[in-house]
C-alpha cells in the first residue's frame, strides 16, 4: 500500500527510503464512480449465532455484512426479525417523517430561521429501526445524527423545532447549538459537541444499571470518524472489562466531514472487527436495510439483557448529503457516489418490501409522504410562534446564569446583574415580560 | 464574618481521637458508602489493594466489589464512566492516582461533567467527586508534584475543594460527595501523614500532635464555599490552601507577625466575604500557593482583592508561588515556595 516517497533523502547510505502513506479516497469531485468492488454479500447468507455466543466464534460476522432485504424486496435468512406488517409500516412512517423533518429544517436554516442544521439522509434506518428494537426506557447516548430516535420514541416534534430555533419554548433555554437535544423523559441523553465522549458515558450508565441489578441496557451511537478518539477505546475497554450491558453502534457512513473512512482506519479492516481485539461481540450490518438494523440491535439488546456481554455493531451506510448546513460536499467527493451507492436508500428499500409482501402501495406511500410534510409544516408554524433565532423571543437573560451550578454562587449573581444592566442600555425598547432583545 | 472559626472537637459522648488525613479520607468514604447506596468508589488500585496511599483501604472488603472497585488505567475512561453513572443516578467518587495524571480525563471533566447540568437544563447532572492527591514537597519530580487547580477553577460548572487538616478533609469530602455539582477534591499528599512547616530538613511531625487531627468518628459536614480562620491577626492577611497553610503559619509564627491566615478550603465557590472582611481590616494581603505563578489561582485572588479592597490596601498585593517551570526533582527545595520566599514577601508587604 506504500506510496513512493516524493522526497529523496540525502543520507548517503543505500537503505531504501521510507515512505509515508497518506490515505486517499477513490473518487474526487468529477470522477466517475464504480462501487462494484465493495463486497456486500447475499442477503440471508449470514448465520445468526445464539445471543450468548463467544465473540471468537462469530468472527466472520465482523467482516461480512448482515443483510435481510434482497433485490427481490423480500426478507431472507435467519436475521429476518419477522416483524408484523403494522410494525413495519410504523417503522417506514418514522423514517419518512425524519426525512421530511430534515428537509424542512435544512430549508429553515437557509431561510435564516436558525444558525445550523444537520441531516441524516440515507441513515434513517440506523436510528429508527435500531432504536425500535430497544425498550423505550433503555438509555440511549446518541451523537448528533440520530434524530430518528426521538421521532421513533414519540418526542414531541415541536420541542425539536423549539430547540433548533432556540426560542422561548426551547426546553434547553437557548443554551445549546441546534440539534443538540436532550430528553430525560425519553431516556435520550444530552448531546454534546465533543465527539465520542458519550461512549464511555454509555458504558458507565450500563455499569450503573448492572450495579443496581436493574434490567435496562444502554446503547450509544458514534460515527466511524469518531472511533479514532481515545474515548472510544476507553469505552470498548471498560465495556469488556465489566461485561457492561451496552451496545456500541458505529455508524460507518464513509465520511467524517471531508475525510473519508480511510482516515479512521477503514483501508485495512472493518470497524466491527475492532470488537474482536477487545473481546466484544462484533456485527457488521447493512445500515440501509431496516430489517437487518432492527435484527442486529435486537440481538445485541437480548445479549446485554441476559448478562452475556456488550456488542459493537458497525452499520455500513452512506452519508447521502453534506455533513451539515456549513458543509458543501461537492468540494471533496464525487456527486455520483450517492446514486452509485450499492446499498440503495433505506426508505425506498423498506417501502418496496412492504409493497412486495402486499402490505403497502404507492398511493398510500404518496399519502403518507404528504401527511409527513404537512405535519412538519404545521408544527414548524406552531413553533415559530415561540420565535426564531435572533428575533427576540428567547428566554430571559438571567437564565443564562442558572444551572451552571445547582445554586447561583455570588460571582454569577454579580454577573447576572451586570447582564441585566447592559440589557437596558443595549435594547432599551425590549419588552420587559419576555426579556427580549431587539 | 462568614469564615468558620470552629476547630476540631469530638462529638458529644465521644472521647478525643486523633487521626491523620488518610484515615480521615478513608472514614469519609466509609461513612458515605454506608449512608448512601448510590455512592461508588473506583479508580486505579483502589479496590482490593486499598489505594497507593491507603485512602481506600478495607473499603472493598466491607462494602463489596460492586461498590468499591479497580479500574483499567484510563483517566478518560474513569471520568467518562463516572459521568454516565451520574446520569443514571449514582454518586460516583472516582480517584485519579495523581493530579499530574488527570489530563487524559480533562475533556470529560471540562466538556462533559462541568456542562451537563447547564446544557441539558437540569435533565442530567454529574454529581461526581473526583479525588486526587496533588502538590509537591515529596521529591515527586515532574509528574508526582503538580498543583493544577487553576485549570479547574477556570472552568464554569466545577467546584474545587482542597483540605489542609484531617478534620477538614473528612468534613469537606462528605460535603463534596453529597453536593450535586461535580467537585474536584485535591488532597495535599505532602500532609497526608502530618503537617509540613516548609523546613524539609526537620523531622515530620505526625498529625497526632496537631489540634485539627481531632476528628469525630461519625458523620459531619463542613460547608463548601467557607474559608477557615487559621489565625486571627491585624498586620496582614494571608490567603492559602493545602500544604501552604501550614508553611505560611510556621513562617508567621517564627517571624512573630500578627497575621490573619485564611485557609480558603474551597476555591470555587470562593468565600469572598471572608477575604474582603479580612483584607479591609488588615490592609495588606499575601497570597501563597505551590502552583506555578503565571495565570495561577493567585492571579485571580490578587485581582479580586485589588478590585474589591483597593481603597483599604496599604501595600501592593503579593504572591508567593512556585516558579514558572515544570516541577524539578533535584532542585525541589529551590523551587518550593518555602519559608525564605514567604518571609521576604512578608517583609516587603510590611515595609521592613
Amino acid at each position: 500500500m506504500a506510496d513512493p516517497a516524493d522526497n529523496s533523502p540525502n543520507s548517503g547510505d543505500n537503505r531504501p527510503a521510507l515512505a509515508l502513506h497518506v490515505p486517499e479516497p477513490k473518487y474526487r469531485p468529477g470522477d466517475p464512480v464504480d462501487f462494484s468492488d465493495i463486497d456486500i454479500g447475499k442477503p440471508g447468507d449470514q448465520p445468526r449465532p445464539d445471543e450468548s455466543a463467544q465473540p471468537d466464534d462469530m468472527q466472520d460476522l465482523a467482516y461480512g455484512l448482515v443483510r435481510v432485504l434482497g433485490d427481490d424486496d423480500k426478507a431472507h435468512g435467519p436475521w429476518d426479525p419477522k416483524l408484523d406488517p403494522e410494525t413495519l409500516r410504523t417503522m417506514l412512517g418514522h423514517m419518512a417523517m425524519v426525512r421530511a423533518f430534515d428537509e424542512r429544517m435544512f430549508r429553515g436554516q437557509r431561510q435564516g430561521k436558525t444558525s445550523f442544521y444537520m441531516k441524516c439522509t440515507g441513515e434513517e434506518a440506523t436510528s429508527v429501526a435500531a432504536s425500535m428494537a430497544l425498550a423505550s426506557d433503555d438509555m440511549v447516548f446518541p451523537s448528533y445524527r440520530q434524530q430518528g430516535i426521538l421521532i421513533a420514541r414519540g418526542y414531541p416534534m415541536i420541542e425539536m423545532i423549539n430547540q433548533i430555533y432556540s426560542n422561548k419554548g426551547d426546553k434547553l433555554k437557548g443554551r445549546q447549538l441546534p440539534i443538540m437535544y436532550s430528553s430525560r423523559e425519553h431516556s435520550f441523553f444530552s448531546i454534546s459537541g465533543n465527539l465520542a465522549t458519550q461512549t464511555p458515558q454509555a458504558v458507565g450508565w450500563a455499569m450503573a444499571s448492572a450495579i443496581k441489578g436493574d434490567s435496562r441496557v444502554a446503547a450509544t451511537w458514534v460515527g466511524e470518524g469518531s472511533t479514532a478518539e481515545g474515548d472510544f477505546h476507553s469505552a470498548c475497554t471498560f465495556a469488556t472489562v465489566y461485561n457492561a450491558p451496552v451496545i456500541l453502534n458505529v455508524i460507518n457512513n464513509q465520511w467524517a466531514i471531508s475525510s473519508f473512512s480511510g482516515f479512521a482506519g477503514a483501508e485495512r479492516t472493518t470497524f466491527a472487527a475492532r470488537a474482536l481485539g477487545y473481546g466484544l461481540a462484533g456485527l457488521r450490518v447493512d445500515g440501509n436495510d431496516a430489517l437487518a438494523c432492527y435484527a442486529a440491535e435486537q440481538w445485541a439488546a437480548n445479549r446485554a439483557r441476559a448478562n452475556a456481554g456488550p456488542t459493537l455493531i458497525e452499520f455500513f451506510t452512506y452519508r447521502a448529503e453534506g455533513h451539515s448546513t456549513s458543509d458543501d460536499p461537492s468540494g471533496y467527493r464525487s456527486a455520483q457516489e450517492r446514486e452509485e451507492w450499492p446499498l440503495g436508500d433505506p426508505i425506498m428499500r423498506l417501502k418496496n418490501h412492504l409493497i412486495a409482501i402486499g402490505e403497502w402501495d404507492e398511493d398510500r406511500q404518496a399519502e403518507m409522504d404528504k401527511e409527513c410534510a404537512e405535519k412538519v409544516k404545521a408544527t414548524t408554524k406552531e413553533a415559530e410562534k415561540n420565535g426564531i433565532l435572533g428575533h427576540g423571543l428567547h428566554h430571559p437573560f438571567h437564565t443564562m446564569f442558572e444551572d451552571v451550578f445547582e445554586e447561583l454562587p455570588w460571582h454569577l449573581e454579580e454577573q447576572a446583574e451586570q447582564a441585566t444592566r447592559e440589557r437596558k442600555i443595549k435594547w432599551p425598547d425590549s419588552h420587559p415580560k419576555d426579556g427580549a432583545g431587539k | 464574618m462568614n469564615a468558620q472559626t470552629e476547630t476540631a472537637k469530638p462529638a458529644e459522648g465521644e472521647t478525643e481521637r486523633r487521626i491523620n488525613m488518610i484515615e480521615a479520607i478513608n472514614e469519609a468514604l466509609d461513612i458515605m458508602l454506608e449512608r448512601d447506596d448510590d455512592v461508588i468508589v473506583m479508580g486505579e488500585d483502589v479496590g482490593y489493594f486499598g489505594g497507593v496511599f491507603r485512602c481506600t483501604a478495607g473499603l472493598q472488603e466491607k462494602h463489596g466489589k460492586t461498590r468499591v472497585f479497580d479500574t483499567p488505567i484510563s483517566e478518560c475512561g474513569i471520568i467518562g464512566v463516572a459521568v454516565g453513572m451520574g446520569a443514571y443516578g449514582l454518586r460516583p467518587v472516582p480517584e485519579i492516582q495523581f493530579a499530574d495524571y488527570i489530563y487524559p480525563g480533562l475533556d470529560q471533566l471540562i466538556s462533559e461533567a462541568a456542562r451537563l447540568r447547564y446544557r441539558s437544563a437540569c435533565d442530567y447532572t454529574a454529581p461526581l467527586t473526583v479525588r486526587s492527591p496533588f502538590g509537591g514537597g515529596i521529591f515527586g519530580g515532574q509528574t508526582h508534584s503538580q498543583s493544577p487547580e487553576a485549570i479547574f477553577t477556570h472552568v464554569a460548572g466545577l467546584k474545587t475543594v482542597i483540605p489542609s487538616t484531617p478534620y477538614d478533609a473528612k468534613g469537606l469530602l462528605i460535603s463534596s460527595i453529597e453536593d450535586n455539582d461535580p467537585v474536584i477534591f485535591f488532597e495535599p499528599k505532602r500532609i497526608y501523614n502530618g503537617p509540613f512547616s516548609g523546613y524539609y530538613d526537620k523531622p515530620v511531625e505526625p498529625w497526632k500532635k496537631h489540634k485539627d487531627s481531632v476528628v469525630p468518628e461519625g458523620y459531619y459536614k463542613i460547608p463548601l464555599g467557607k474559608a477557615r480562620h487559621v489565625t486571627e491577626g491585624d498586620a496582614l492577611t494571608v490567603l492559602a490552601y493545602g500544604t501552604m497553610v501550614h508553611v505560611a503559619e510556621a513562617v508567621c509564627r517564627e517571624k512573630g507577625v500578627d497575621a490573619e491566615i485564611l485557609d480558603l478550603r474551597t476555591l470555587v465557590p470562593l468565600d469572598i466575604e471572608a477575604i474582603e472582611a479580612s483584607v479591609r481590616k488588615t490592609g495588606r494581603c499575601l497570597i501563597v500557593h505551590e502552583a506555578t505563578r503565571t495565570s495561577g489561582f493567585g492571579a485571580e485572588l490578587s485581582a479580586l482583592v485589588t478590585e474589591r479592597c483597593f481603597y483599604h490596601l496599604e501595600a501592593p498585593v503579593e504572591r508567593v508561588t512556585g516558579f514558572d517551570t515544570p516541577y524539578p526533582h533535584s532542585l525541589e527545595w529551590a523551587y518550593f515556595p518555602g519559608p525564605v520566599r514567604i518571609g521576604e514577601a512578608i517583609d516587603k508587604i510590611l515595609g521592613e
Side-chain angles (χ1 to χ4, degrees), chain A residues 16-28:
Chain A
L18 296 171
L20 180 73
H21 171 67
V22 180
E24 182 63 30
K26 277 191 180 151
Y27 311 111
R28 286 299 194 184

Side-chain angles (χ1 to χ4, degrees), chain A residues 139 171-173 175-176 182-184 187-192 194 197 200-201 203-205 207-209 211-212 214 216 230-231 234 237-238 241-242 400 402-406 409-411 414, chain B residues 37-38 40 66 69-72 74 76-78 80-81 83-85 87-88 90 107-108 111-112 114 116-124 156-159 180-181 268-270 272 304 308:
Chain A
M139 185 71 185
K171 287 194 165 170
L172 305 184
K173 304 183 182 178
R175 292 171 181 161
Q176 272 276 47
S182 172
S183 178
R184 187 179 187 89
S187 299
F188 185 96
F189 190 67
S190 157
I191 296 175
S192 168
N194 296 66
T197 51
Q201 294 165 359
V203 174
W205 195 98
M207 289 168 68
S209 189
I211 287 168
K212 292 307 231 182
D214 197 342
R216 293 176 292 165
D231 292 66
S234 297
T237 303
F238 279 68
V241 165
Y242 300 104
M400 175 163 64
E402 293 164 2
D403 307 330
V404 177
F405 296 101
E406 187 174 34
W410 64 268
H411 62 285
E414 287 187 358
Chain B
D37 284 344
D38 291 333
I40 298 294
T66 62
F69 52 86
D70 293 315
T71 63
S74 168
C76 93
I78 292 168
V81 301
V83 171
M85 288 175 171
Y88 179 93
L90 300 188
D107 189 34
Q108 285 288 346
S111 310
E112 302 294 319
L116 190 52
R117 175 192 295 279
Y118 189 77
R119 78 171 196 232
S120 72
C122 299
D123 256 358
Y124 300 97
L158 294 180
K159 290 179 177 172
N180 290 324
D181 293 315
V268 176
L270 187 66
I272 193 69
L304 284 169
R308 302 170 94 94

Side-chain angles (χ1 to χ4, degrees), chain A residues 339-360:
Chain A
E339 43 202 83
E340 293 298 324
W341 182 246
L343 299 173
D345 177 273
I347 298 180
M348 294 301 285
R349 285 174 69 189
L350 183 57
K351 179 194 84 171
N352 291 340
H353 171 61
L354 269 162
I355 292 172
I357 59 174
E359 293 289 346
W360 198 241

Side-chain angles (χ1 to χ4, degrees), chain A residues 20 47 88 92 105 156 168 172 224 298 315 342 344 356 379:
Chain A
L20 180 73
L88 291 176
L92 181 66
M105 291 302 109
K168 68 174 184 178
L172 305 184
E224 94 285 347
Q298 186 183 44
F315 291 101
T379 313

